[in-house]
Amino acid sequence: MKKLFDILNKKKRSVLGLMSGTSCDGLDIALIEVEGSGIDTRFNFLAGQGAPYSKKQKQALLELMQPDKSNAETLCQLNFYLANIWAKMIHAFLKKQGLTKHEIDLIGSHGQTIRHQPDPIKFIDRKIRSTLQLGDPSVLAQLCGIPVVGDFRVADVALGGQGAPLIPYFDWIYFSRFKENILAVNIGGISNITFVSADGAFNKLIAFDCGPGNMLIDQAMQRLYNKPFDKGGNTARSGKFCPALFDCIQKFDTFIQRQPPKSTGRELYGRDFFLTLLKEFIRLRIDEPDFIHTITKYTAFAIYENYRKFIAPYNTVQKVAVGGGGAHNSFLMEMLRDNFNEAEVKKVKDYQLNEDFKEAIGFAVLANETLHGKPSNVPQVTGAAKPAVLGKICPV
Ligand SMILES: Nc1ncnc2c1ncn2[C@@H]1O[C@H](COP(=O)(O)OP(=O)(O)O)[C@@H](O)[C@H]1O
Ligand SMILES: [Mg+2]
């Protein structure tokens, strides 16, 4: 514990943030130097690296997320396996940066979501909300020789919250200083939005998961083109719009119309949802590029529709700041611009924030909050009964 107090008492801390998202594309590692806490947090992004999973690793992860393909044995193994491969990735990253573990004070690790069921479901003799992120933080701390804060979501879920999204707290810290009404959009496997008001008021934050980010596009690309994603959105751009398919997706997708607080994941937009779309693809005899085009258009629409329904009636935004891997899909960005014609759609990099590492940086900042004993959920966003200090601190 003394070591943790020493870290807390330093003027500046070197913190690694780790994000392994629902896309299962790899581990994002971000190194920041951070000082202060809460709204007074200041940080410098020093380096980042995306450590991709092999095809075999990605396939195994996707399979183990299917309840019918996993069991207590495989999940037990996976929890340690992930910590093992991440520790190796971190060693390689530090070596590349010419750093040793002694120069890193703390790691903030999101973990890999395997199951996210934040709405109560009957289990044994009561209704239970739950969420499961694997890649055990204690194993990671021991293998890296660096203290880890992990498992951020569970405290919020215990308090009746969705446990997600958690990045809104970071969005509040980061975007408040720009003093404009900003909609921060993150397009990972799932898309989420945060409204930050020009006066930076914490109680005016509005945020939630919108629906599919890259998840439907990626599954379609994998199935039809044997490629993990639509690079630059080029396939989508080469196709035509299929209104009949768009209408079908809108009909199947009840989540985007649902009132917040809300969060989602592969449980909703994974294999089963995609197979339903694939049936329509066959039934409507759609050309492959048209399928990708229409799904991409729907992805942009889902983001805008959530803004239109749940934010625009109360606040208008001048700027939209997009981060996450979806920001590289320039066709998706074009579609967002078409939807948000009244606001300027930018990338978070226009706000001096690296779009590939935004979430990893966010979890480094959240770990810094936990070290300071500060709550970092946003109760009006997640629906939690009260603020909570998030995560488990695993010392070494
Ligand atoms: N150059 C690119 N062109 C189009 N899409 C991209 C590109 N690079 C990344 N992506 C998309 O971003 C996804 C990864 O985004 P990421 O923010 O890591 O999501 P997650 O947090 O769910 O892992 C990829 O699966 C892919 O769909
Ligand atoms: Mg990722």
Side-chain angles (χ1 to χ4, degrees):
M1 290 311 275
K2 180 178 177 310
K3 199 172 160 192
L4 288 175
F5 278 112
D6 289 346
I7 297 167
L8 182 62
N9 289 328
K10 285 172 90 167
K11 184 164 161 33
K12 287 182 179 179
R13 286 162 289 283
S14 295
V15 185
L16 286 181
L18 310 181
M19 182 68 207
S20 181
T22 48
S23 299
C24 298
D25 55 330
L27 180 73
D28 297 329
I29 307 173
L31 171 61
I32 64 167
E33 191 175 55
V34 60
E35 57 183 307
S37 67
I39 197 69
D40 299 319
T41 303
R42 291 290 171 266
F43 69 87
N44 278 323
F45 171 61
L46 302 178
Q49 189 176 316
Y53 296 139
S54 66
K55 210 169 170 181
K56 192 173 170 187
Q57 288 171 329
K58 181 174 175 174
Q59 265 171 3
L61 269 180
L62 292 176
E63 208 168 293
L64 290 171
M65 284 179 191
Q66 307 287 346
D68 53 337
K69 295 277 171 55
S70 62
N71 54 45
E73 158 77 14
T74 50
L75 295 183
C76 181
Q77 290 281 86
L78 183 64
N79 197 24
F80 277 65
Y81 174 82
L82 288 171
N84 268 270
I85 62 171
W86 294 345
K88 233 178 137 186
M89 289 165 170
I90 290 167
H91 285 139
F93 171 75
L94 292 180
K95 200 169 167 203
K96 199 168 158 202
Q97 300 300 323
L99 295 168
T100 68
K101 63 180 182 182
H102 305 291
E103 287 155 284
I104 306 298
D105 296 308
L106 189 66
I107 295 175
S109 174
H110 172 269
Q112 178 66 52
T113 297
I114 295 298
R115 204 75 190 153
H116 183 62
Q117 298 183 157
D119 301 314
I121 295 176
K122 177 126 199 290
F123 185 71
I124 306 179
D125 58 358
R126 63 193 61 200
K127 284 187 161 183
I128 289 289
R129 305 167 183 270
S130 64
T131 187
L132 181 64
Q133 284 73 44
L134 295 187
D136 189 84
S138 188
V139 176
L140 191 62
Q142 294 308 323
L143 298 181
C144 293
I146 302 168
V148 176
V149 182
D151 243 343
F152 289 88
R153 300 199 187 273
V154 291
D156 188 87
V157 174
L159 293 169
Q162 293 281 308
L166 295 180
I167 288 297
Y169 184 87
F170 169 78
D171 286 331
W172 170 65
I173 288 177
Y174 192 79
F175 289 106
S176 286
R177 81 190 65 168
F178 295 99
K179 309 216 178 308
E180 46 187 7
N181 281 358
I182 296 178
L183 191 72
V185 178
N186 199 76
I187 312 179
I190 296 297
S191 62
N192 59 67
I193 54 180
T194 305
F195 167 76
V196 182
S197 91
D199 63 6
F202 187 80
N203 62 7
K204 289 188 191 160
L205 285 171
I206 306 174
F208 47 85
D209 284 354
C210 298
N214 301 293
M215 198 174 277
L216 298 177
I217 305 170
D218 285 0
Q219 290 180 89
M221 287 301 295
Q222 192 60 53
R223 184 67 178 241
L224 303 184
Y225 293 91
N226 197 23
K227 288 186 179 157
F229 59 89
D230 181 15
K231 197 164 183 199
N234 291 332
T235 308
R237 187 175 291 102
S238 71
K240 294 184 304 299
F241 182 54
C242 174
L245 175 66
F246 191 93
D247 291 347
C248 282
I249 313 178
Q250 223 180 329
K251 206 169 70 213
F252 300 142
D253 187 0
T254 51
F255 183 82
I256 72 165
Q257 302 295 339
R258 204 179 111 180
Q259 187 81 26
K262 58 178 179 175
S263 62
T264 187
R266 232 166 238 288
E267 297 74 21
L268 199 58
Y269 295 105
R271 184 186 57 181
D272 293 351
F273 193 99
F274 178 68
L275 289 180
T276 315
L277 298 193
L278 203 61
K279 271 193 202 138
E280 294 303 311
F281 166 75
I282 295 162
R283 186 178 71 84
L284 296 165
R285 297 167 188 263
I286 303 169
D287 285 344
E288 275 108 350
D290 300 355
F291 190 55
I292 307 293
H293 178 105
T294 306
I295 289 177
T296 306
K297 217 165 181 169
Y298 182 78
T299 301
F301 166 80
I303 294 168
Y304 179 75
E305 181 67 1
N306 272 284
Y307 164 72
R308 189 189 67 77
K309 274 195 85 145
F310 303 118
I311 297 179
Y314 320 103
N315 308 277
T316 48
V317 298
Q318 290 96 41
K319 302 283 166 53
V320 179
V322 183
H328 296 297
N329 183 326
S330 48
F331 183 72
L332 179 58
M333 289 296 287
E334 268 170 45
M335 293 301 100
L336 278 176
R337 288 192 179 103
D338 279 359
N339 278 285
F340 281 95
N341 56 4
E342 71 271 32
E344 198 182 342
V345 178
K346 299 175 140 197
K347 292 187 180 179
V348 292
K349 80 163 181 254
D350 299 315
Y351 289 88
Q352 298 83 53
L353 189 60
N354 184 304
E355 60 232 27
D356 292 320
F357 299 106
K358 181 191 168 192
E359 292 216 314
I361 293 168
F363 280 97
V365 168
L366 292 192
N368 185 58
E369 293 301 283
T370 300
L371 190 69
H372 282 82
K374 291 202 172 165
S376 55
N377 59 338
V378 181
Q380 80 264 24
V381 162
T382 60
K386 59 177 187 178
V389 180
L390 301 180
K392 300 185 175 96
I393 303 179
C394 306
V396 283

